[in-house]
Amino acid sequence: MDEIVLPPLDVEVPPEGLTIGEVARATGLAVSTLRFYERRGLMLDPTPRDGGGRRRYDASDLAWIGGLLMLRATGMPVAEMRALAELSRRAGTEGDRLDILEAHREQVLAELARTQRHLAALDTKIEAYRQVVAFSRAHGSREGGLMRNTTLGDGLTVSAIGLGAMGMSAFYGPTDETEAVATLRHAVDIGVTFIDTAEAYGPFENEKLIGRALGSRRDEITIATKASSETDDDGTVHGRNGSPAYIRRACERSLRHLGMDEIDLYYLHRVDPQVPIEDSVGALADLVREGKVRHIGLSEASAPTLRRAHAVHPIAAVQSEFSLFSRDMLRNDEKATADELGIGVVAFSPLGRGTLTDSIRSLDELAPTDARRRLPRFQPEAFAANRRLLERIEAIAREKSATVAQIALAWVMSEGVVPIPGTRRRARLDENAAAADLVLSAEDRMRLAEALPETEIAGSRDGIDAPDGVDR
């Protein structure tokens, strides 16, 4: 093996040696530090002294101090440096010294990896701010429909408003693939590049649709998909499965359906109560290390689960239902915990599954196969009551020369949350994207909250009987 030579201290040592002051000037160390090194036993040998009792350092002392400077620069604790010095003063202890140095090297590498992740996150945020500042200076506001970007957790940059693609393939009645493809491509054209899907949507059909529509524009988009309830390749759906084996199988299948080599943001669609979250997140982290996933997320996870998950691997985003009609996250510590940990928050159904828009004024407008017909808020009495509440929002929207949907999305964004409203049509996409230009004051936000008191909202959001603060 080649000998590793430390950078030499560029100092000529005369036969009589150097004084402590001369060594201090040569090394940049304080005289008091050199004395401390000697008192704590960090020097290879006791520093020799001349006839007057003054310390004199020879070339071997300077070489040893150079080694100490290197170890100190890598963060080695004083106790470990002293142990190395003690071992070096004896014969036949190379193995013990090797153990100390190799253990410290692993610590240095781990710290370097953490620093590199932090640096990458910092660079991403800097670049996002540069884009916003440059665009603002050039245009003063969003121009030509171009969407600004924002940053979630773990350095993931996304468009400030995303697009939920679920309804293009499932749950909301008949679909039109031609219009769906046109809408997906138009979204990228106007800068709505954060596209959300899941293996459950179809199942699989939504991922395949996105692959067909946007495969040629892979570098322009940020794809989020999810490992959902266990699903066989033939589409048979079983219960929740957060096991490492299923997460890996689901990821490989999603990559194949999307026609992509890497998923930008991969969520665990729902927490599996039968599998420790540490095991599920560990499997997601393995996919990151293998280069199949860039960032990981959870959906509808409680604050305690977020903490446990984030301790295993940085969580980029938590996705939950969040809107003026569904404000659970603000009272169950989920949003506060995400903010504390630096986890981005993504809102699905930010328009209350269409109730916070002017597109559904009657239940008769829903197709017979529309899954919303089974939800509590789409039962006749609840729907009518919530439509009456919506009249208050319509009045505020008129003051702002905006639509109800734009006001609702602007409110979500004002809470520091990235909305991913779903739509199947280009016209609605443009309407939603324009919400990024709408700025709400503190007074506006207060008026909106007061206009829709949670106690007056009829029906639960999804019919799941789950108390606040637990995984849904």
Side-chain angles (χ1 to χ4, degrees), residues 367-422:
T369 57
D370 195 312
R372 287 173 289 187
R373 287 183 172 276
R374 299 191 295 271
L375 297 178
R377 287 181 182 164
F378 285 83
Q379 300 314 300
E381 289 187 9
F383 184 81
N386 291 331
R387 283 297 308 173
R388 288 192 292 272
L389 290 179
L390 203 61
E391 293 174 3
R392 305 170 186 174
I393 306 301
E394 291 172 343
I396 297 174
R398 283 193 295 272
E399 294 176 16
K400 295 287 185 181
S401 299
T403 66
V404 170
Q406 289 166 348
I407 285 286
L409 291 173
W411 179 86
V412 169
M413 298 173 73
S414 74
E415 293 290 340
V417 175
V418 176
I420 50 168

Side-chain angles (χ1 to χ4, degrees), residues 96-249:
D96 293 331
R97 281 179 283 173
L98 177 63
D99 289 343
I100 292 175
L101 290 173
E102 286 187 334
H104 179 60
R105 183 177 186 276
E106 291 303 313
Q107 294 170 354
V108 171
L109 287 174
E111 185 59 36
L112 179 61
R114 284 193 293 270
T115 300
Q116 287 174 332
R117 287 199 301 269
H118 295 159
L119 182 61
L122 179 62
D123 286 344
T124 299
K125 186 167 282 290
I126 287 173
E127 180 58 29
Y129 284 146
R130 281 176 175 165
Q131 291 179 17
V132 172
V133 170
F135 188 84
S136 297
R137 287 173 178 169
H139 305 291
S141 63
R142 193 170 62 92
E143 182 178 274
L146 185 63
M147 179 65 61
R148 61 182 172 83
N149 287 338
T150 189
T151 304
L152 297 173
D154 198 30
L156 174 60
T157 299
V158 299
S159 55
I161 294 177
L163 172 60
M166 180 189 77
M168 297 177 178
S169 303
F171 303 121
Y172 286 0
T175 59
D176 178 348
E177 178 162 336
T178 300
E179 179 61 18
V181 168
T183 300
L184 285 165
R185 292 174 178 169
H186 182 60
V188 181
D189 290 339
I190 65 173
V192 178
T193 55
F194 183 31
I195 312 297
D196 184 88
T197 183
E199 66 169 1
Y201 304 159
F204 315 134
E205 294 308 315
N206 200 239
E207 290 179 329
K208 294 176 183 178
L209 170 68
I210 289 170
R212 291 193 297 272
L214 300 178
S216 63
R217 305 185 70 173
R218 176 66 183 96
D219 294 341
E220 300 176 66
I221 58 177
T222 301
I223 286 291
T225 190
K226 313 171 191 76
S228 304
S229 293
E230 182 177 357
T231 307
D232 296 337
D233 289 343
D234 64 4
T236 302
V237 179
H238 304 282
R240 297 186 184 190
N241 190 342
S243 68
Y246 183 70
I247 288 172
R248 175 171 294 279
R249 180 159 72 92

Side-chain angles (χ1 to χ4, degrees), residues 139-463:
H139 305 291
S141 63
R142 193 170 62 92
E143 182 178 274
L146 185 63
M147 179 65 61
R148 61 182 172 83
N149 287 338
T150 189
T151 304
L152 297 173
D154 198 30
L156 174 60
T157 299
V158 299
S159 55
I161 294 177
L163 172 60
M166 180 189 77
M168 297 177 178
S169 303
F171 303 121
Y172 286 0
T175 59
D176 178 348
E177 178 162 336
T178 300
E179 179 61 18
V181 168
T183 300
L184 285 165
R185 292 174 178 169
H186 182 60
V188 181
D189 290 339
I190 65 173
V192 178
T193 55
F194 183 31
I195 312 297
D196 184 88
T197 183
E199 66 169 1
Y201 304 159
F204 315 134
E205 294 308 315
N206 200 239
E207 290 179 329
K208 294 176 183 178
L209 170 68
I210 289 170
R212 291 193 297 272
L214 300 178
S216 63
R217 305 185 70 173
R218 176 66 183 96
D219 294 341
E220 300 176 66
I221 58 177
T222 301
I223 286 291
T225 190
K226 313 171 191 76
S228 304
S229 293
E230 182 177 357
T231 307
D232 296 337
D233 289 343
D234 64 4
T236 302
V237 179
H238 304 282
R240 297 186 184 190
N241 190 342
S243 68
Y246 183 70
I247 288 172
R248 175 171 294 279
R249 180 159 72 92
C251 178
E252 298 284 0
R253 187 167 54 194
S254 288
L255 287 168
R256 186 168 66 253
H257 289 159
L258 288 164
M260 298 174 183
D261 296 325
E262 185 180 45
I263 296 167
D264 298 305
L265 175 58
Y266 196 44
Y267 293 100
L268 181 64
H269 207 157
R270 292 293 186 273
V271 175
D272 183 348
Q274 304 304 317
V275 178
I277 192 62
E278 290 81 1
D279 292 352
S280 299
V281 173
L284 292 169
D286 287 342
L287 295 171
V288 173
R289 284 187 284 271
E290 294 168 16
K292 296 174 181 177
V293 169
R294 288 181 58 218
H295 303 274
I296 66 175
L298 302 178
S299 183
E300 295 276 57
S302 66
T305 296
L306 281 178
R307 290 189 184 279
R308 289 169 56 195
H310 196 66
V312 176
H313 187 279
I315 303 298
V318 57
Q319 181 181 131
S320 292
E321 181 169 352
F322 184 63
S323 71
L324 279 166
F325 270 0
S326 301
R327 287 170 256 173
D328 316 28
M329 293 182 67
L330 299 183
R331 63 170 184 270
N332 65 14
D333 287 338
E334 186 180 335
K335 175 66 165 56
T337 299
D339 290 345
E340 175 192 337
L341 298 176
I343 298 172
V345 180
V346 176
F348 73 80
S349 297
L351 299 176
R353 294 180 169 88
T355 53
L356 285 162
T357 71
D358 61 5
S359 62
I360 307 174
R361 294 188 172 273
S362 167
L363 292 176
D364 294 336
E365 298 174 34
L366 300 181
T369 57
D370 195 312
R372 287 173 289 187
R373 287 183 172 276
R374 299 191 295 271
L375 297 178
R377 287 181 182 164
F378 285 83
Q379 300 314 300
E381 289 187 9
F383 184 81
N386 291 331
R387 283 297 308 173
R388 288 192 292 272
L389 290 179
L390 203 61
E391 293 174 3
R392 305 170 186 174
I393 306 301
E394 291 172 343
I396 297 174
R398 283 193 295 272
E399 294 176 16
K400 295 287 185 181
S401 299
T403 66
V404 170
Q406 289 166 348
I407 285 286
L409 291 173
W411 179 86
V412 169
M413 298 173 73
S414 74
E415 293 290 340
V417 175
V418 176
I420 50 168
T423 186
R424 298 181 283 187
R425 295 187 293 277
R426 284 166 284 180
R428 290 293 181 185
L429 174 67
D430 285 333
E431 176 188 349
N432 294 342
D437 295 332
L438 189 56
V439 178
L440 300 181
S441 66
E443 181 183 358
D444 293 330
R445 294 168 61 191
M446 182 178 66
R447 288 178 63 201
L448 287 166
E450 290 176 348
L452 286 181
E454 290 186 275
T455 55
E456 295 185 27
I457 296 171
S460 61
R461 63 180 172 98
D462 54 14

